Amino acid sequence: MAYIDSFFHILVEQGASDLHIGEGQPPKMRRHGDVTPIRQEPITREEAAFMLSEIAGQESWTLFEDRGDLDFAYEMDHASRFRCNFLKQANGYGAVFRLIPTEIATLEQLGIPPVVKEFGHLRGGLVLVTGPTGSGKSTTLAALIDYINSNFPRHIVTVEEPIEFVHRNKKSIITQREVPLNTVSFPAGLKAALREDADIVLVGEMRDLETISLALTAAETGLLVFGTLHTNNARKTVDRMVDVFPANKQAQVRTMLANSLRGVLAQLLLKKTAAAGGGRIAVNEILVSNAAVSAIIREGATQKLQDVIVAGKGQGMQFMDDAIYALLQQGTISPHEAFMKSIEKNRFNKFLPAEEQGFANSAGSAPNSEKQIAKNLLKGKPVLARQ
């Protein structure tokens, strides 16, 4: 057993999601969104070097010492796999580990709306799964890939950094490639997939112009492409896809995106109330492309997407704030959580306690209100809500 496994066992037993190791500070875990120390004693340099180098292996550790960053996956046992990120920071060595379930949950178990299965029936186009870091994008995509794998005879190529969920062939053939071990980069892996008789390509992260451009081209040529972006809703996702390109290319990109986009699944994780059992719950915004969506993208009038989503309930579409409101009405989340994660703050302000409404109003209802609230908190002003 590796030295670090003792920390991983605590993570698994406590139902935590992440382990944070930092030289000069106690080891900490993230559980239901909150970070707490595992012990009081800080990690020494010798301890950090030993525990990290032991699981990385000599070759990867040498690479990390040269570069200052390292990504890979580590399997502790048949039930526990971890995504590992090593980093050098001001105080020395550091690392963050994310627990990856070895059993892939179904879309039903994750509470993902049934319409998302329809994305798995497509034979071409682009589907984007979006959300901030730690919102469960990879888990949702793994469930969708597993649904396809269980029901359709396809060749699915994934390009990931690192490989998180390990898929076993069922009805489909699944080829999983890791950056940089099996392919040097996301663009290289995506280019190669065009020559590998793939039906479906999953791009672990679409974070640069070349990857996004290749994904659009692949979708236009008939592949079904699944990709991820760090955006919170459908409108921001479309804007991000276009804005990454130079101004003189954006009109052409809007046309390509209008033709190839099949859907956007945006996801956030919200804290559940104690009465609802605690923990966290996924909430989704769903855009299903249709003629109206294509026209809006082509025109660059993305502010109209919200109206299309709200009006598209019959097609399975779902606006993020409507989904948040439903959870608030059920008592699953607190008014504070609903207010902080919503797009239109004014809609949820009235549910806050009276003494907090004035403070919320002073923060404003603009998209940057969360930043303003954070600034106010740093100045010693009242905390917005008591959980």
Side-chain angles (χ1 to χ4, degrees):
M1 184 175 87
Y3 178 79
I4 202 170
D5 286 356
S6 58
F7 295 102
F8 288 153
H9 281 300
I10 294 171
L11 208 71
V12 173
E13 289 164 7
Q14 295 290 320
S17 60
D18 299 83
L19 172 66
H20 291 253
I21 297 293
E23 188 179 324
Q25 57 182 302
K28 296 169 185 172
M29 64 180 175
R30 184 181 294 276
R31 184 173 179 269
H32 304 325
D34 297 321
V35 177
T36 56
I38 293 175
R39 71 178 196 203
Q40 295 308 312
E41 297 81 13
I43 298 281
T44 64
R45 183 171 185 82
E46 293 73 22
E47 187 181 15
F50 176 72
M51 73 166 72
L52 300 183
S53 62
E54 184 181 23
I55 62 168
Q58 187 56 53
E59 187 177 342
S60 293
W61 182 253
T62 302
L63 189 65
F64 166 62
E65 288 279 43
D66 291 341
R67 295 183 178 178
D69 287 289
L70 180 68
D71 289 295
F72 65 101
Y74 169 70
E75 193 165 296
M76 179 175 69
D77 54 42
H78 72 280
S80 303
R81 184 176 167 85
F82 296 86
R83 184 181 72 195
C84 314
N85 173 253
F86 288 8
L87 59 131
K88 288 184 179 178
Q89 39 107 1
N91 295 323
Y93 295 130
V96 180
F97 303 89
R98 166 68 52 84
L99 176 61
I100 305 164
T102 50
E103 289 296 320
I104 298 171
T106 65
L107 291 166
E108 290 86 357
Q109 288 169 336
L110 296 174
I112 305 299
V115 69
V116 173
K117 284 186 177 179
E118 297 302 314
F119 294 146
H121 292 248
L122 296 168
R123 296 307 298 261
L126 178 66
V127 176
L128 299 169
V129 178
T130 75
T133 300
S135 60
K137 298 185 297 294
S138 297
T139 305
T140 298
L141 262 176
L144 185 52
I145 292 296
D146 188 61
Y147 171 74
I148 298 169
N149 188 19
S150 301
N151 291 279
F152 303 103
R154 307 274 191 266
H155 181 206
I156 304 166
V157 176
T158 76
V159 186
E160 306 169 74
E161 185 187 15
I163 291 171
E164 295 186 32
F165 293 88
V166 177
H167 294 270
R168 290 165 181 82
N169 292 346
K170 296 178 183 178
K171 283 196 172 181
S172 293
I173 302 168
I174 301 195
T175 303
Q176 293 187 264
R177 308 191 71 201
E178 184 168 313
V179 176
L181 297 180
N182 310 128
T183 181
V184 294
S185 65
F186 283 108
L190 193 46
K191 280 180 187 173
L194 297 172
R195 302 186 296 272
E196 291 164 359
D197 189 33
D199 299 294
I200 298 168
V201 181
L202 184 153
V203 186
E205 200 167 325
M206 292 169 55
R207 58 191 175 202
D208 58 63
L209 188 151
E210 188 180 6
T211 306
I212 292 172
S213 178
L214 284 167
L216 284 169
T217 301
E220 277 201 321
T221 59
L223 285 178
L224 175 56
V225 179
F226 292 107
T228 67
L229 288 170
H230 291 102
T231 47
N232 290 359
N233 57 53
R235 178 184 175 179
K236 287 181 180 177
T237 299
V238 172
D239 287 341
R240 165 68 178 153
M241 290 288 290
V242 175
D243 290 346
V244 74
F245 289 87
N248 64 334
K249 296 281 183 68
Q250 290 183 2
Q252 178 189 351
V253 170
R254 279 196 295 270
T255 299
M256 291 176 71
L257 189 59
N259 292 338
S260 62
L261 186 67
R262 296 293 177 266
V264 176
L265 175 67
Q267 184 162 304
L268 299 174
L269 279 186
L270 276 60
K271 287 184 181 179
K272 294 166 69 176
T273 59
R280 293 192 288 177
I281 187 170
V283 62
N284 299 101
E285 176 165 295
I286 301 169
L287 171 71
V288 179
S289 190
N290 56 25
V293 170
S294 296
I296 285 169
I297 294 173
R298 203 172 280 111
E299 293 165 12
T302 54
Q303 71 277 5
K304 297 179 184 177
L305 284 177
Q306 178 178 326
D307 293 335
V308 173
I309 294 170
V310 171
K313 284 185 180 178
Q315 286 181 261
M317 294 199 223
Q318 182 170 275
F319 181 51
M320 185 66 80
D321 281 4
D322 289 344
I324 292 173
Y325 182 77
L327 292 177
L328 178 63
Q329 292 295 95
Q330 295 161 15
T332 304
I333 61 172
S334 69
H336 167 73
E337 188 73 355
F339 177 86
M340 293 300 289
K341 295 296 176 69
S342 61
I343 298 168
E344 297 176 347
K345 305 295 184 188
N346 286 337
R347 178 175 178 182
F348 296 91
N349 187 26
K350 62 187 176 185
F351 297 106
L352 296 170
E355 69 272 16
E356 294 166 4
Q357 289 186 19
F359 178 60
N361 285 330
S362 71
S365 58
N368 66 347
S369 59
E370 284 191 43
K371 293 180 182 177
Q372 186 60 51
I373 290 168
K375 287 179 183 176
N376 289 340
L377 291 175
L378 288 172
K379 292 174 184 175
K381 294 187 179 181
V383 175
L384 201 150
R386 297 176 299 277
Q387 298 262 342

